[in-house]
Amino acid sequence: MTVDYLVMAVYLLGIIGVGWWGKKRAASKSDFLVAGRRLGPLLYTGTMAAVVLGGASTIGGVRLGYTYGISGAAMVFAIGLGLLALSIFFSARIARLKVYTVAEMLSLRYGDTAAVISGVVMWIYTLMLAVTSTIAYASVFDVLFDVPRWVAVVIGGTIVVGYSALGGMWSITLTDMVQFVVKSIGVLVLLLPIAVVKAGGFGALADNLPDGYLSPTSIGGQTIVTFVLIYTFGMLIGQDIWQRVFTARSDRVASWGGTVAGVYCLVYALAGAVIGMATKALYPQLPSADDAFATIVRHALPTGIRGLVLAAALSAMMSTASGALIASATVANNDIWARLRGRTASRVHDAAATEHDEIAANRLAIVVLGVTAMGIACVLGDVIEALTVAYNLLVGGLLVPILGGLVWKRGNLPGAMASMIAGGTTVIVLMVTDGLLANEPIYYGLLAGLVAYVTVSLLTRPTEVAVVEAWRRRLAGEPAAVAPELSTV
């Protein structure tokens, strides 16, 4: 493994170097949080694909393929579908808003009251996403270097927090692009064909697999529906995803670049499932399906290539971790802390005199939350249930008011608040009564949120015309209307 360790060490040092170089480009708050809103198609596509395909998509996708066959692609496929839906139907309008967070969007559409609740929910979701990603790449360091769990967390966490805090979104974008290339080569170009060849080709693979492994629905229809509700809809409203949309230099880049990234996710989903199936054919009696990825990498790949593929796995995990970390810091600093100080993020954002302080504040938030995520990762062995809780609260409480605000003019603040409360409460109650991993909480949470949103909005006064018109102009990318007393003849 000496050569493999060397390959991984060179990769990690390169990531640190790229992150340091990105620090030079973070000269303003816009640069630090959204890469100056000037990413072109290539960078935008790469960084979007990198952030949505993390450890769950790579190692988890292989595990599902090992357990269920081709239908194991359903989870990552749902992520790809969500990214496609976001890019085709919503990303252009989102990019034109010129905000930093989802809560800012809700504040513009409904008022600050809606933004406070959504900010807290979004912060919990992004922090837990950072924790789970930290645990994922720490487990790789733990196995490779045989070090205590806390040491593995500190090694990986220090690298991610370091380059994220140095240059913010610019550093993360540049490192994500490197990680996207390494991941594509490691998983799609190397591991996929080698695993299939080792298994004897597709013909032998089909002959050696258990019955049902070639069925697209063997994982279960209800499980597929749940994946769509949680992950597809989660892609539509997650701060970590929206923050990447904000980096596009135009709404066209956001739409087309995101569409390409979504198609890439669909290909990645199938690749993970096939790799898992090849592992099942070669090693049918693994003690745990979680070992499928590590097993195929360890036994099927030659020295050097093995190190590159392991670096690819780390790339996937670290991309998601850094994206979640800056999203969590952005929400905490701009939606929660700013309001506790008595001023909204939207008012701070255009004040040139506070640019330096804002960069410092967001950099500090990344460090503090990064250390917090590392601390939680050290004491928690498995946070799948906690992440499921976060996703259920995110989608059940926020999906309807966010998408409703984008597509339905009659929706108003009372309707949005009622939807958040009804959807969130339903999800919490059913998770307590039916179990944290049950399907029912998200089903009935979405239904309750939708009914509350429509009913209360129709029974209460519409949003003021001036607010609706200002929102329409912002959504269309038009300049703000000039006040009559300031106009000239």
Side-chain angles (χ1 to χ4, degrees), residues 258-307:
T259 300
V260 173
V263 172
Y264 177 90
C265 290
L266 302 184
V267 174
Y268 202 86
L270 292 174
V274 172
I275 292 169
M277 293 162 65
T279 309
K280 181 69 173 181
L282 291 168
Y283 310 98
Q285 301 299 327
L286 290 180
S288 172
D290 291 329
D291 298 331
F293 181 85
T295 299
I296 193 67
V297 169
R298 184 182 304 118
H299 296 293
L301 300 181
T303 300
I305 300 299
R306 183 169 50 213

Side-chain angles (χ1 to χ4, degrees), residues 173-318:
T173 295
L174 296 173
T175 54
D176 274 0
M177 197 62 199
V178 174
Q179 291 162 343
F180 170 71
V181 173
V182 172
K183 181 167 55 181
S184 298
I185 295 174
V187 175
L188 300 182
V189 178
L190 297 175
L191 182 57
L192 174 61
I194 291 174
V196 172
V197 170
K198 288 283 187 179
F202 285 106
L205 185 61
D207 293 338
N208 294 326
L209 289 171
D211 292 339
Y213 264 56
L214 298 182
S215 169
T217 59
S218 61
I219 197 171
Q222 190 175 36
T223 299
I224 293 175
V225 171
T226 301
F227 281 159
V228 170
L229 290 178
I230 292 179
Y231 295 109
T232 300
F233 288 163
M235 289 294 105
L236 297 179
I237 60 174
Q239 170 66 25
D240 51 324
I241 310 302
W242 276 43
Q243 198 155 344
R244 300 308 174 102
V245 175
F246 300 150
T247 65
R249 72 183 179 199
S250 69
D251 53 8
R252 185 177 179 83
V253 168
S255 180
W256 285 103
T259 300
V260 173
V263 172
Y264 177 90
C265 290
L266 302 184
V267 174
Y268 202 86
L270 292 174
V274 172
I275 292 169
M277 293 162 65
T279 309
K280 181 69 173 181
L282 291 168
Y283 310 98
Q285 301 299 327
L286 290 180
S288 172
D290 291 329
D291 298 331
F293 181 85
T295 299
I296 193 67
V297 169
R298 184 182 304 118
H299 296 293
L301 300 181
T303 300
I305 300 299
R306 183 169 50 213
L308 183 60
V309 172
L310 289 172
L314 284 175
S315 296
M317 301 168 199
M318 295 173 83

Side-chain angles (χ1 to χ4, degrees), residues 89-173:
F89 298 112
F90 299 108
S91 62
R93 282 181 285 178
I94 292 171
R96 289 194 292 265
L97 288 174
K98 303 297 183 185
V99 295
Y100 291 113
T101 67
V102 175
E104 280 189 73
M105 168 262 169
L106 290 171
S107 178
L108 290 171
R109 178 64 177 81
Y110 300 116
D112 276 349
T113 304
V116 172
I117 297 177
S118 66
V120 172
V121 174
M122 194 67 72
W123 178 72
I124 294 172
Y125 157 73
T126 52
L127 181 62
M128 291 311 302
L129 188 60
V131 169
T132 54
S133 300
T134 301
I135 290 176
Y137 61 69
S139 66
V140 175
F141 281 108
D142 188 5
V143 171
L144 289 176
F145 303 114
D146 192 25
V147 294
R149 174 64 172 278
W150 70 269
V151 174
V153 169
V154 170
I155 292 174
T158 300
I159 295 173
V160 171
V161 173
Y163 73 70
S164 300
L166 279 173
M169 187 59 81
W170 265 120
S171 290
I172 292 173
T173 295

